[in-house]
Amino acid sequence: MARANDWASKVMALVNGGNAPAAIAQIKVAPSVKDLKALQTIMTLSKMKGRYPNVDAAISDNLDLLAAPRLHRSP
């Protein structure tokens, strides 16, 4: 049975702790588009969107990069 991936909650803990550079580093090596969208949703629901503009930019940039059909990361 597959285990639940809680990557987004771990990155959100970095953001809540004020460690935005570490969160951006984790966002750059995000496992999938699904995980990035989950993080984006969590940031919106917790009203953290806009508080850290560099984190918001990293999420949107990496969503664009991972969504491109010719680019993907191997597991």
Side-chain angles (χ1 to χ4, degrees):
M1 187 169 162
R3 290 175 32 185
N5 188 356
D6 57 350
W7 177 86
S9 62
K10 290 179 182 179
V11 175
M12 195 61 201
L14 290 172
V15 173
N16 284 333
N19 198 349
I24 292 170
Q26 286 298 310
I27 290 167
K28 288 182 180 180
V29 294
S32 68
V33 174
K34 178 183 171 186
D35 293 322
L36 277 174
K37 287 186 179 185
L39 177 62
Q40 192 174 40
T41 303
I42 292 171
M43 295 243 340
T44 303
L45 292 175
S46 63
K47 299 180 182 169
M48 295 292 284
K49 191 169 184 148
R51 189 174 290 180
Y52 295 98
N54 293 338
V55 174
D56 295 334
I59 292 171
S60 65
D61 291 345
N62 285 297
L63 273 173
D64 292 340
L65 288 173
L66 285 175
R70 67 187 184 287
L71 297 175
H72 68 282
R73 292 200 177 106
S74 60

Short mmCIF file of all heavy atoms in Angstrom, two decimals:
data_model
loop_
_atom_site.label_atom_id
_atom_site.label_comp_id
_atom_site.label_asym_id
_atom_site.label_seq_id
_atom_site.Cartn_x
_atom_site.Cartn_y
_atom_site.Cartn_z
N MET A 1 0.83 -1.17 0.00
CA MET A 1 0.00 0.00 0.00
C MET A 1 0.89 1.25 0.00
O MET A 1 1.87 1.33 0.73
CB MET A 1 -0.90 -0.01 1.23
CG MET A 1 -1.90 1.07 1.25
SD MET A 1 -3.07 0.71 2.59
CE MET A 1 -3.76 2.30 2.74
N ALA A 2 0.55 2.20 -0.82
CA ALA A 2 1.34 3.42 -0.94
C ALA A 2 1.13 4.32 0.27
O ALA A 2 0.02 4.45 0.78
CB ALA A 2 0.96 4.16 -2.21
N ARG A 3 2.22 4.92 0.71
CA ARG A 3 2.13 5.83 1.84
C ARG A 3 1.77 7.22 1.35
O ARG A 3 2.13 7.63 0.25
CB ARG A 3 3.48 5.89 2.56
CG ARG A 3 3.76 4.59 3.27
CD ARG A 3 5.11 4.52 3.91
NE ARG A 3 5.61 5.79 4.40
CZ ARG A 3 6.80 5.96 4.91
NH1 ARG A 3 7.61 4.94 5.00
NH2 ARG A 3 7.19 7.13 5.33
N ALA A 4 1.08 7.96 2.16
CA ALA A 4 0.70 9.32 1.79
C ALA A 4 1.94 10.21 1.77
O ALA A 4 2.81 10.11 2.63
CB ALA A 4 -0.31 9.86 2.79
N ASN A 5 2.01 11.06 0.77
CA ASN A 5 3.13 11.97 0.65
C ASN A 5 2.78 13.28 1.33
O ASN A 5 1.82 13.95 0.96
CB ASN A 5 3.44 12.21 -0.84
CG ASN A 5 4.71 12.99 -1.03
OD1 ASN A 5 5.33 13.42 -0.07
ND2 ASN A 5 5.10 13.16 -2.27
N ASP A 6 3.55 13.66 2.32
CA ASP A 6 3.27 14.88 3.05
C ASP A 6 4.34 15.93 2.78
O ASP A 6 4.69 16.71 3.66
CB ASP A 6 3.10 14.61 4.53
CG ASP A 6 4.30 13.93 5.14
OD1 ASP A 6 5.20 13.50 4.41
OD2 ASP A 6 4.34 13.83 6.37
N TRP A 7 4.86 15.93 1.56
CA TRP A 7 5.90 16.88 1.16
C TRP A 7 5.41 18.31 1.33
O TRP A 7 6.14 19.16 1.86
CB TRP A 7 6.30 16.62 -0.30
CG TRP A 7 7.31 17.58 -0.82
CD1 TRP A 7 8.66 17.50 -0.71
CD2 TRP A 7 7.05 18.79 -1.55
NE1 TRP A 7 9.25 18.58 -1.31
CE2 TRP A 7 8.28 19.38 -1.83
CE3 TRP A 7 5.88 19.41 -1.97
CZ2 TRP A 7 8.39 20.58 -2.53
CZ3 TRP A 7 5.99 20.61 -2.66
CH2 TRP A 7 7.24 21.18 -2.94
N ALA A 8 4.21 18.60 0.90
CA ALA A 8 3.68 19.96 0.97
C ALA A 8 3.60 20.46 2.41
O ALA A 8 3.92 21.62 2.69
CB ALA A 8 2.32 20.05 0.29
N SER A 9 3.19 19.61 3.31
CA SER A 9 3.09 20.04 4.72
C SER A 9 4.47 20.28 5.32
O SER A 9 4.64 21.18 6.15
CB SER A 9 2.30 19.03 5.54
OG SER A 9 2.96 17.79 5.56
N LYS A 10 5.46 19.51 4.89
CA LYS A 10 6.82 19.73 5.39
C LYS A 10 7.38 21.05 4.88
O LYS A 10 8.04 21.78 5.63
CB LYS A 10 7.72 18.58 4.97
CG LYS A 10 7.40 17.28 5.69
CD LYS A 10 8.29 16.16 5.22
CE LYS A 10 7.93 14.86 5.91
NZ LYS A 10 8.75 13.75 5.44
N VAL A 11 7.13 21.36 3.61
CA VAL A 11 7.60 22.63 3.06
C VAL A 11 6.84 23.79 3.71
O VAL A 11 7.43 24.84 4.00
CB VAL A 11 7.45 22.66 1.52
CG1 VAL A 11 7.82 24.01 0.96
CG2 VAL A 11 8.32 21.57 0.90
N MET A 12 5.58 23.59 3.98
CA MET A 12 4.79 24.62 4.65
C MET A 12 5.32 24.88 6.06
O MET A 12 5.31 26.03 6.54
CB MET A 12 3.32 24.21 4.69
CG MET A 12 2.39 25.31 5.01
SD MET A 12 2.49 26.61 3.79
CE MET A 12 1.83 27.94 4.74
N ALA A 13 5.81 23.86 6.72
CA ALA A 13 6.41 24.04 8.04
C ALA A 13 7.66 24.92 7.94
O ALA A 13 7.92 25.74 8.84
CB ALA A 13 6.76 22.69 8.65
N LEU A 14 8.43 24.77 6.87
CA LEU A 14 9.60 25.63 6.66
C LEU A 14 9.16 27.08 6.47
O LEU A 14 9.77 28.00 7.02
CB LEU A 14 10.40 25.17 5.44
CG LEU A 14 11.16 23.86 5.58
CD1 LEU A 14 11.73 23.45 4.23
CD2 LEU A 14 12.27 24.00 6.60
N VAL A 15 8.12 27.29 5.69
CA VAL A 15 7.61 28.65 5.45
C VAL A 15 7.10 29.25 6.75
O VAL A 15 7.41 30.40 7.07
CB VAL A 15 6.51 28.64 4.37
CG1 VAL A 15 5.87 30.01 4.23
CG2 VAL A 15 7.07 28.19 3.02
N ASN A 16 6.33 28.49 7.50
CA ASN A 16 5.80 28.98 8.78
C ASN A 16 6.91 29.30 9.77
O ASN A 16 6.76 30.19 10.60
CB ASN A 16 4.83 27.97 9.40
CG ASN A 16 3.49 27.97 8.71
OD1 ASN A 16 3.08 28.97 8.14
ND2 ASN A 16 2.82 26.84 8.76
N GLY A 17 8.00 28.55 9.69
CA GLY A 17 9.13 28.78 10.58
C GLY A 17 9.98 29.97 10.16
O GLY A 17 10.94 30.33 10.84
N GLY A 18 9.66 30.57 9.01
CA GLY A 18 10.41 31.73 8.55
C GLY A 18 11.64 31.39 7.75
O GLY A 18 12.46 32.27 7.47
N ASN A 19 11.79 30.14 7.37
CA ASN A 19 12.96 29.71 6.62
C ASN A 19 12.62 29.62 5.13
O ASN A 19 12.58 28.55 4.55
CB ASN A 19 13.46 28.36 7.16
CG ASN A 19 14.88 28.07 6.75
OD1 ASN A 19 15.45 28.76 5.92
ND2 ASN A 19 15.45 27.04 7.35
N ALA A 20 12.38 30.77 4.53
CA ALA A 20 11.98 30.83 3.12
C ALA A 20 13.06 30.30 2.17
O ALA A 20 12.72 29.61 1.20
CB ALA A 20 11.60 32.25 2.74
N PRO A 21 14.37 30.57 2.38
CA PRO A 21 15.37 30.02 1.47
C PRO A 21 15.37 28.48 1.43
O PRO A 21 15.53 27.88 0.36
CB PRO A 21 16.70 30.55 2.01
CG PRO A 21 16.33 31.80 2.73
CD PRO A 21 14.97 31.53 3.32
N ALA A 22 15.16 27.84 2.57
CA ALA A 22 15.09 26.38 2.59
C ALA A 22 13.83 25.89 1.87
O ALA A 22 13.86 24.87 1.18
CB ALA A 22 15.12 25.86 4.02
N ALA A 23 12.73 26.61 2.04
CA ALA A 23 11.49 26.24 1.36
C ALA A 23 11.66 26.36 -0.15
O ALA A 23 11.21 25.49 -0.90
CB ALA A 23 10.34 27.11 1.84
N ILE A 24 12.32 27.42 -0.60
CA ILE A 24 12.56 27.60 -2.03
C ILE A 24 13.44 26.50 -2.58
O ILE A 24 13.20 25.98 -3.68
CB ILE A 24 13.15 29.00 -2.30
CG1 ILE A 24 12.09 30.06 -2.00
CG2 ILE A 24 13.64 29.13 -3.73
CD1 ILE A 24 12.61 31.48 -2.00
N ALA A 25 14.44 26.09 -1.81
CA ALA A 25 15.30 24.99 -2.25
C ALA A 25 14.50 23.70 -2.39
O ALA A 25 14.72 22.94 -3.34
CB ALA A 25 16.45 24.81 -1.25
N GLN A 26 13.59 23.45 -1.48
CA GLN A 26 12.75 22.25 -1.57
C GLN A 26 11.78 22.35 -2.74
O GLN A 26 11.48 21.35 -3.39
CB GLN A 26 11.97 22.04 -0.27
CG GLN A 26 12.82 21.53 0.86
CD GLN A 26 13.40 20.17 0.53
OE1 GLN A 26 12.71 19.26 0.12
NE2 GLN A 26 14.71 20.06 0.70
N ILE A 27 11.27 23.55 -3.01
CA ILE A 27 10.34 23.74 -4.11
C ILE A 27 11.03 23.46 -5.45
O ILE A 27 10.44 22.89 -6.36
CB ILE A 27 9.75 25.17 -4.08
CG1 ILE A 27 8.81 25.30 -2.88
CG2 ILE A 27 9.03 25.52 -5.37
CD1 ILE A 27 8.41 26.72 -2.56
N LYS A 28 12.30 23.82 -5.54
CA LYS A 28 13.06 23.60 -6.78
C LYS A 28 13.25 22.11 -7.08
O LYS A 28 13.46 21.75 -8.23
CB LYS A 28 14.41 24.29 -6.72
CG LYS A 28 14.28 25.79 -6.82
CD LYS A 28 15.63 26.45 -6.82
CE LYS A 28 15.47 27.97 -6.94
NZ LYS A 28 16.76 28.64 -6.94
N VAL A 29 13.17 21.27 -6.08
CA VAL A 29 13.31 19.82 -6.29
C VAL A 29 12.01 19.09 -5.96
O VAL A 29 12.02 17.95 -5.50
CB VAL A 29 14.49 19.23 -5.48
CG1 VAL A 29 15.81 19.78 -5.97
CG2 VAL A 29 14.32 19.50 -4.00
N ALA A 30 10.90 19.75 -6.22
CA ALA A 30 9.57 19.18 -5.92
C ALA A 30 9.38 17.87 -6.67
O ALA A 30 9.77 17.75 -7.83
CB ALA A 30 8.49 20.17 -6.32
N PRO A 31 8.77 16.89 -6.02
CA PRO A 31 8.59 15.58 -6.65
C PRO A 31 7.63 15.58 -7.84
O PRO A 31 7.84 14.84 -8.79
CB PRO A 31 8.04 14.70 -5.54
CG PRO A 31 8.00 15.51 -4.31
CD PRO A 31 8.36 16.90 -4.63
N SER A 32 6.59 16.41 -7.79
CA SER A 32 5.62 16.39 -8.90
C SER A 32 4.80 17.67 -8.93
O SER A 32 4.83 18.47 -7.99
CB SER A 32 4.68 15.19 -8.74
OG SER A 32 3.85 15.38 -7.62
N VAL A 33 4.07 17.84 -10.02
CA VAL A 33 3.17 18.98 -10.16
C VAL A 33 2.07 18.90 -9.10
O VAL A 33 1.67 19.92 -8.53
CB VAL A 33 2.56 19.01 -11.58
CG1 VAL A 33 1.52 20.10 -11.71
CG2 VAL A 33 3.65 19.21 -12.61
N LYS A 34 1.61 17.70 -8.82
CA LYS A 34 0.56 17.50 -7.82
C LYS A 34 0.99 18.04 -6.45
O LYS A 34 0.22 18.69 -5.76
CB LYS A 34 0.22 16.01 -7.73
CG LYS A 34 -0.82 15.66 -6.71
CD LYS A 34 -1.01 14.16 -6.65
CE LYS A 34 -1.88 13.76 -5.50
NZ LYS A 34 -1.96 12.31 -5.35
N ASP A 35 2.22 17.78 -6.08
CA ASP A 35 2.73 18.26 -4.80
C ASP A 35 2.85 19.78 -4.77
O ASP A 35 2.54 20.41 -3.77
CB ASP A 35 4.09 17.63 -4.50
CG ASP A 35 3.99 16.14 -4.25
OD1 ASP A 35 3.01 15.71 -3.62
OD2 ASP A 35 4.89 15.41 -4.68
N LEU A 36 3.30 20.36 -5.88
CA LEU A 36 3.39 21.82 -5.94
C LEU A 36 2.02 22.47 -5.87
O LEU A 36 1.84 23.49 -5.21
CB LEU A 36 4.09 22.25 -7.23
CG LEU A 36 5.61 22.22 -7.21
CD1 LEU A 36 6.17 22.52 -8.58
CD2 LEU A 36 6.15 23.20 -6.20
N LYS A 37 1.04 21.88 -6.55
CA LYS A 37 -0.32 22.43 -6.49
C LYS A 37 -0.89 22.29 -5.08
O LYS A 37 -1.61 23.17 -4.61
CB LYS A 37 -1.21 21.74 -7.51
CG LYS A 37 -0.90 22.19 -8.92
CD LYS A 37 -1.88 21.63 -9.91
CE LYS A 37 -1.51 22.14 -11.29
NZ LYS A 37 -2.48 21.74 -12.30
N ALA A 38 -0.56 21.20 -4.40
CA ALA A 38 -1.01 21.03 -3.01
C ALA A 38 -0.40 22.11 -2.12
O ALA A 38 -1.08 22.69 -1.27
CB ALA A 38 -0.65 19.65 -2.51
N LEU A 39 0.88 22.40 -2.33
CA LEU A 39 1.54 23.46 -1.55
C LEU A 39 0.91 24.81 -1.85
O LEU A 39 0.66 25.60 -0.93
CB LEU A 39 3.03 23.49 -1.86
CG LEU A 39 3.83 24.58 -1.17
CD1 LEU A 39 3.78 24.43 0.34
CD2 LEU A 39 5.27 24.56 -1.66
N GLN A 40 0.62 25.07 -3.11
CA GLN A 40 0.00 26.32 -3.49
C GLN A 40 -1.38 26.47 -2.84
O GLN A 40 -1.74 27.53 -2.34
CB GLN A 40 -0.12 26.39 -5.01
CG GLN A 40 -0.48 27.73 -5.56
CD GLN A 40 -0.42 27.74 -7.08
OE1 GLN A 40 -0.82 26.78 -7.72
NE2 GLN A 40 0.08 28.82 -7.63
N THR A 41 -2.13 25.38 -2.79
CA THR A 41 -3.44 25.40 -2.15
C THR A 41 -3.32 25.64 -0.65
O THR A 41 -4.08 26.44 -0.08
CB THR A 41 -4.18 24.08 -2.42
OG1 THR A 41 -4.28 23.89 -3.82
CG2 THR A 41 -5.55 24.06 -1.80
N ILE A 42 -2.37 24.97 -0.01
CA ILE A 42 -2.17 25.16 1.43
C ILE A 42 -1.78 26.61 1.72
O ILE A 42 -2.26 27.21 2.68
CB ILE A 42 -1.10 24.18 1.96
CG1 ILE A 42 -1.62 22.75 1.91
CG2 ILE A 42 -0.69 24.55 3.38
CD1 ILE A 42 -0.56 21.71 2.21
N MET A 43 -0.92 27.18 0.89
CA MET A 43 -0.50 28.57 1.10
C MET A 43 -1.69 29.51 0.96
O MET A 43 -1.81 30.47 1.72
CB MET A 43 0.61 28.96 0.12
CG MET A 43 1.87 28.20 0.32
SD MET A 43 3.35 29.04 0.80
CE MET A 43 3.25 30.71 0.44
N THR A 44 -2.56 29.24 0.01
CA THR A 44 -3.73 30.09 -0.19
C THR A 44 -4.70 29.96 0.98
O THR A 44 -5.20 30.97 1.49
CB THR A 44 -4.45 29.72 -1.50
OG1 THR A 44 -3.52 29.85 -2.59
CG2 THR A 44 -5.63 30.62 -1.75
N LEU A 45 -4.97 28.74 1.41
CA LEU A 45 -5.92 28.53 2.50
C LEU A 45 -5.43 29.08 3.84
O LEU A 45 -6.22 29.51 4.67
CB LEU A 45 -6.25 27.04 2.63
CG LEU A 45 -7.04 26.43 1.47
CD1 LEU A 45 -7.19 24.93 1.68
CD2 LEU A 45 -8.39 27.10 1.34
N SER A 46 -4.12 29.04 4.05
CA SER A 46 -3.58 29.53 5.32
C SER A 46 -3.24 31.02 5.26
O SER A 46 -2.64 31.55 6.19
CB SER A 46 -2.35 28.73 5.72
OG SER A 46 -1.33 28.91 4.76
N LYS A 47 -3.62 31.67 4.16
CA LYS A 47 -3.42 33.11 3.96
C LYS A 47 -1.95 33.51 4.04
O LYS A 47 -1.61 34.59 4.52
CB LYS A 47 -4.26 33.90 4.95
CG LYS A 47 -5.74 33.64 4.78
CD LYS A 47 -6.58 34.40 5.75
CE LYS A 47 -8.03 34.04 5.52
NZ LYS A 47 -8.91 34.52 6.54
N MET A 48 -1.07 32.62 3.59
CA MET A 48 0.35 32.92 3.53
C MET A 48 0.77 33.41 2.14
O MET A 48 1.88 33.86 1.97
CB MET A 48 1.17 31.67 3.89
CG MET A 48 0.99 31.20 5.31
SD MET A 48 1.67 32.34 6.51
CE MET A 48 3.39 31.99 6.35
N LYS A 49 -0.13 33.27 1.18
CA LYS A 49 0.17 33.71 -0.18
C LYS A 49 0.32 35.22 -0.18
O LYS A 49 -0.53 35.94 0.32
CB LYS A 49 -0.93 33.27 -1.13
CG LYS A 49 -0.56 33.44 -2.56
CD LYS A 49 -1.54 32.75 -3.46
CE LYS A 49 -1.02 32.89 -4.87
NZ LYS A 49 -1.35 31.79 -5.69
N GLY A 50 1.42 35.70 -0.71
CA GLY A 50 1.69 37.13 -0.74
C GLY A 50 2.60 37.58 0.38
O GLY A 50 3.24 38.62 0.27
N ARG A 51 2.66 36.81 1.44
CA ARG A 51 3.52 37.18 2.57
C ARG A 51 4.99 36.91 2.24
O ARG A 51 5.87 37.65 2.69
CB ARG A 51 3.12 36.40 3.81
CG ARG A 51 3.82 36.89 5.06
CD ARG A 51 3.30 36.23 6.28
NE ARG A 51 1.93 36.69 6.56
CZ ARG A 51 1.22 36.28 7.58
NH1 ARG A 51 1.71 35.39 8.40
NH2 ARG A 51 0.00 36.73 7.76
N TYR A 52 5.24 35.88 1.43
CA TYR A 52 6.59 35.54 0.98
C TYR A 52 6.59 35.53 -0.55
O TYR A 52 6.39 34.50 -1.17
CB TYR A 52 7.02 34.17 1.51
CG TYR A 52 7.16 34.11 3.01
CD1 TYR A 52 6.14 33.60 3.80
CD2 TYR A 52 8.31 34.58 3.63
CE1 TYR A 52 6.27 33.56 5.18
CE2 TYR A 52 8.44 34.53 5.01
CZ TYR A 52 7.42 34.03 5.78
OH TYR A 52 7.54 33.99 7.14
N PRO A 53 6.84 36.68 -1.19
CA PRO A 53 6.75 36.75 -2.65
C PRO A 53 7.76 35.85 -3.36
O PRO A 53 7.48 35.34 -4.45
CB PRO A 53 7.00 38.22 -2.97
CG PRO A 53 7.35 38.89 -1.71
CD PRO A 53 7.12 37.96 -0.58
N ASN A 54 8.92 35.64 -2.76
CA ASN A 54 9.92 34.76 -3.39
C ASN A 54 9.44 33.31 -3.42
O ASN A 54 9.70 32.59 -4.38
CB ASN A 54 11.26 34.85 -2.67
CG ASN A 54 11.91 36.20 -2.83
OD1 ASN A 54 11.60 36.95 -3.76
ND2 ASN A 54 12.79 36.54 -1.91
N VAL A 55 8.75 32.89 -2.39
CA VAL A 55 8.21 31.53 -2.35
C VAL A 55 7.10 31.38 -3.37
O VAL A 55 7.04 30.38 -4.10
CB VAL A 55 7.72 31.18 -0.92
CG1 VAL A 55 7.02 29.83 -0.90
CG2 VAL A 55 8.87 31.19 0.07
N ASP A 56 6.24 32.38 -3.47
CA ASP A 56 5.16 32.35 -4.47
C ASP A 56 5.73 32.29 -5.88
O ASP A 56 5.23 31.54 -6.72
CB ASP A 56 4.27 33.58 -4.33
CG ASP A 56 3.52 33.62 -3.01
OD1 ASP A 56 3.29 32.55 -2.43
OD2 ASP A 56 3.17 34.73 -2.58
N ALA A 57 6.78 33.06 -6.13
CA ALA A 57 7.41 33.06 -7.46
C ALA A 57 8.06 31.71 -7.75
O ALA A 57 7.96 31.20 -8.88
CB ALA A 57 8.45 34.17 -7.55
N ALA A 58 8.69 31.11 -6.75
CA ALA A 58 9.32 29.80 -6.95
C ALA A 58 8.28 28.74 -7.27
O ALA A 58 8.50 27.88 -8.13
CB ALA A 58 10.12 29.41 -5.72
N ILE A 59 7.13 28.80 -6.60
CA ILE A 59 6.07 27.82 -6.86
C ILE A 59 5.56 27.97 -8.28
O ILE A 59 5.46 26.99 -9.03
CB ILE A 59 4.92 27.97 -5.85
CG1 ILE A 59 5.37 27.56 -4.45
CG2 ILE A 59 3.71 27.15 -6.27
CD1 ILE A 59 4.37 27.88 -3.36
N SER A 60 5.26 29.19 -8.69
CA SER A 60 4.71 29.38 -10.04
C SER A 60 5.73 29.05 -11.11
O SER A 60 5.39 28.45 -12.14
CB SER A 60 4.18 30.80 -10.21
OG SER A 60 5.23 31.73 -10.12
N ASP A 61 7.01 29.41 -10.90
CA ASP A 61 8.04 29.09 -11.89
C ASP A 61 8.22 27.58 -12.04
O ASP A 61 8.32 27.07 -13.16
CB ASP A 61 9.38 29.71 -11.49
CG ASP A 61 9.38 31.22 -11.61
OD1 ASP A 61 8.47 31.78 -12.25
OD2 ASP A 61 10.31 31.85 -11.04
N ASN A 62 8.24 26.88 -10.93
CA ASN A 62 8.46 25.43 -11.01
C ASN A 62 7.21 24.69 -11.49
O ASN A 62 7.33 23.63 -12.08
CB ASN A 62 8.95 24.90 -9.66
CG ASN A 62 10.41 25.26 -9.46
OD1 ASN A 62 11.26 24.83 -10.22
ND2 ASN A 62 10.69 26.09 -8.49
N LEU A 63 6.03 25.24 -11.25
CA LEU A 63 4.82 24.66 -11.85
C LEU A 63 4.90 24.74 -13.36
O LEU A 63 4.57 23.77 -14.06
CB LEU A 63 3.57 25.39 -11.35
CG LEU A 63 2.95 24.90 -10.06
CD1 LEU A 63 1.84 25.83 -9.63
CD2 LEU A 63 2.44 23.49 -10.22
N ASP A 64 5.35 25.88 -13.88
CA ASP A 64 5.50 26.04 -15.32
C ASP A 64 6.55 25.08 -15.87
O ASP A 64 6.36 24.48 -16.93
CB ASP A 64 5.89 27.47 -15.67
CG ASP A 64 4.77 28.47 -15.39
OD1 ASP A 64 3.60 28.04 -15.30
OD2 ASP A 64 5.08 29.66 -15.27
N LEU A 65 7.66 24.93 -15.16
CA LEU A 65 8.73 24.04 -15.64
C LEU A 65 8.30 22.58 -15.65
O LEU A 65 8.58 21.84 -16.60
CB LEU A 65 9.98 24.20 -14.77
CG LEU A 65 10.76 25.50 -14.94
CD1 LEU A 65 11.87 25.58 -13.90
CD2 LEU A 65 11.33 25.60 -16.34
N LEU A 66 7.64 22.14 -14.59
CA LEU A 66 7.23 20.75 -14.52
C LEU A 66 6.04 20.43 -15.42
O LEU A 66 5.83 19.28 -15.80
CB LEU A 66 6.90 20.37 -13.08
CG LEU A 66 8.08 20.18 -12.16
CD1 LEU A 66 7.61 19.92 -10.73
CD2 LEU A 66 8.97 19.05 -12.61
N ALA A 67 5.25 21.43 -15.75
CA ALA A 67 4.07 21.20 -16.59
C ALA A 67 4.44 21.07 -18.06
O ALA A 67 3.63 20.57 -18.84
CB ALA A 67 3.06 22.33 -16.41
N ALA A 68 5.63 21.50 -18.44
CA ALA A 68 6.05 21.39 -19.85
C ALA A 68 6.14 19.92 -20.23
O ALA A 68 6.70 19.11 -19.49
CB ALA A 68 7.40 22.08 -20.04
N PRO A 69 5.58 19.54 -21.37
CA PRO A 69 5.52 18.13 -21.73
C PRO A 69 6.88 17.49 -21.97
O PRO A 69 7.04 16.29 -21.78
CB PRO A 69 4.67 18.11 -23.00
CG PRO A 69 4.71 19.48 -23.52
CD PRO A 69 4.94 20.39 -22.34
N ARG A 70 7.87 18.25 -22.35
CA ARG A 70 9.17 17.66 -22.65
C ARG A 70 10.10 17.59 -21.45
O ARG A 70 11.15 17.00 -21.51
CB ARG A 70 9.83 18.40 -23.79
CG ARG A 70 10.22 19.80 -23.46
CD ARG A 70 10.71 20.54 -24.69
NE ARG A 70 11.16 21.87 -24.37
CZ ARG A 70 10.39 22.90 -24.05
NH1 ARG A 70 9.10 22.74 -24.00
NH2 ARG A 70 10.90 24.07 -23.77
N LEU A 71 9.70 18.23 -20.37
CA LEU A 71 10.53 18.22 -19.18
C LEU A 71 9.86 17.40 -18.08
O LEU A 71 8.68 17.54 -17.83
CB LEU A 71 10.72 19.66 -18.66
CG LEU A 71 11.45 20.62 -19.58
CD1 LEU A 71 11.45 22.01 -18.96
CD2 LEU A 71 12.85 20.17 -19.84
N HIS A 72 10.62 16.55 -17.46
CA HIS A 72 10.12 15.78 -16.34
C HIS A 72 11.30 15.33 -15.50
O HIS A 72 12.44 15.35 -15.95
CB HIS A 72 9.30 14.57 -16.79
CG HIS A 72 10.11 13.53 -17.46
ND1 HIS A 72 10.54 13.64 -18.76
CD2 HIS A 72 10.61 12.36 -17.01
CE1 HIS A 72 11.27 12.56 -19.08
NE2 HIS A 72 11.32 11.79 -18.03
N ARG A 73 11.02 14.94 -14.31
CA ARG A 73 12.07 14.42 -13.42
C ARG A 73 11.85 12.94 -13.25
O ARG A 73 10.73 12.47 -13.06
CB ARG A 73 11.99 15.11 -12.06
CG ARG A 73 12.35 16.55 -12.14
CD ARG A 73 12.73 17.06 -10.74
NE ARG A 73 13.13 18.43 -10.85
CZ ARG A 73 12.40 19.45 -10.45
NH1 ARG A 73 11.23 19.25 -9.92
NH2 ARG A 73 12.84 20.66 -10.57
N SER A 74 12.94 12.23 -13.31
CA SER A 74 12.82 10.80 -13.07
C SER A 74 12.71 10.55 -11.58
O SER A 74 13.20 11.33 -10.78
CB SER A 74 14.03 10.07 -13.64
OG SER A 74 15.20 10.55 -13.01
N PRO A 75 12.05 9.47 -11.21
CA PRO A 75 11.86 9.21 -9.77
C PRO A 75 13.14 8.88 -9.05
O PRO A 75 14.10 8.50 -9.52
CB PRO A 75 10.90 8.03 -9.74
CG PRO A 75 10.85 7.48 -11.10
CD PRO A 75 11.40 8.51 -12.02
#
